[in-house]
Amino acid sequence: MDTRANEWAEEAHIPAATPTEEQVWASRAAIERATGVLMERYGLDAEQAKETLLQASRHAAVSMVQFAGDVLTSGRAGEPPEIRVVLDAASAPSGLRKAVAFIESEAARPIRLADIVAAAGVGARALQYDFVRHLHTTPTRYLRSVRLERAHRELQAADPQCETVASIAARWGFSSPGRFATQYRSVYGRSPRVTRSDALWSDRTTADPAENE
């Protein structure tokens, strides 16, 4: 098995606790079927389709097998949006791809728009245009969305006794816990404190002063 195939196998997240032969084959079959679906929908070859599946599952922060299942149970109009994001990025100008790669790798640092422009190697106006045209956002909004998603992952894994919402928010560039809570709730539909504690969500229409506790 070549290096790329090994990576796909690892991303599949087949249970490590001695999976049955049926489980292994079912997981592989789901990935192969989803690969075929993407080939048919978008005119991709097998390598491109499987790579798209892999990268989209990473964007969605789920296993490749789980993501393949989502593709198989949806039509093209209702498929996971990460598919379109990956396909658009693959056809995007090189400057945009460089900017996205820079943001993804440096999101924890205090980077500015000028840093993103420098990494892209194109003018600021051209980069803004490419972000809007291909990703339907701006460089700074894309940076914020990446940071928000990284903070979301940490909140899901955090020990409430050891990590505060404020500390996680600050680690990802959100200096105001209240503003972070508002932005987080607008995307994920609940308070970051609720995500951290894995409690039942209760709808609150005003900022919660306990967000930084």
Side-chain angles (χ1 to χ4, degrees):
M1 185 181 293
D2 60 25
T3 303
R4 204 72 188 120
N6 277 325
E7 186 175 10
W8 288 330
E10 290 171 2
E11 291 286 342
H13 292 179
I14 297 171
T18 316
T20 65
E21 185 175 354
E22 289 79 7
Q23 288 175 319
V24 172
W25 281 108
S27 298
R28 290 176 178 173
I31 291 172
E32 292 303 322
R33 289 199 304 274
T35 297
V37 167
L38 295 182
M39 291 171 66
E40 182 177 352
R41 285 179 185 172
Y42 298 104
L44 306 174
D45 62 31
E47 183 81 10
Q48 291 170 330
K50 194 165 287 187
E51 180 69 13
T52 298
L53 191 67
L54 171 63
Q55 295 301 330
S57 69
R58 287 176 172 173
H59 275 277
V62 299
S63 73
M64 198 172 176
V65 169
Q66 180 181 335
F67 196 84
D70 293 340
V71 170
L72 291 172
T73 56
S74 65
R76 180 167 181 164
E79 73 183 6
E82 291 81 9
I83 294 290
R84 191 70 259 170
V85 170
V86 171
L87 290 173
D88 286 347
S91 62
S94 62
L96 176 57
R97 295 199 301 271
K98 290 177 182 177
V100 168
F102 176 76
I103 289 172
E104 295 279 355
S105 64
E106 304 294 337
R109 292 181 50 222
I111 60 177
R112 303 166 302 165
L113 176 59
D115 300 318
I116 301 172
V117 170
V122 298
R125 183 172 296 181
L127 185 63
Q128 292 272 8
Y129 174 80
D130 286 341
F131 262 91
V132 172
R133 180 183 179 187
H134 293 275
L135 300 180
H136 312 293
T137 188
T138 66
T140 52
R141 286 178 182 171
Y142 186 85
L143 172 61
R144 185 169 65 238
S145 70
V146 169
R147 287 173 166 169
L148 199 62
E149 187 269 337
R150 302 282 173 84
H152 173 63
R153 291 191 198 181
E154 290 198 7
L155 286 165
Q156 289 178 309
D159 179 350
Q161 303 302 317
C162 302
E163 284 271 29
T164 66
V165 170
S167 66
I168 293 174
R171 190 151 57 240
W172 290 104
F174 298 95
S175 58
S176 168
R179 187 176 300 168
F180 168 72
T182 299
Q183 293 174 354
Y184 183 93
R185 190 182 287 111
S186 71
V187 173
Y188 295 102
R190 60 178 183 173
S191 158
R193 186 164 60 88
V194 171
T195 297
R196 184 195 59 168
S197 61
D198 199 27
L200 292 176
W201 173 56
S202 59
D203 188 21
R204 289 171 292 176
T205 57
T206 58
D208 186 347
E211 294 293 359
N212 352 328
E213 294 178 356

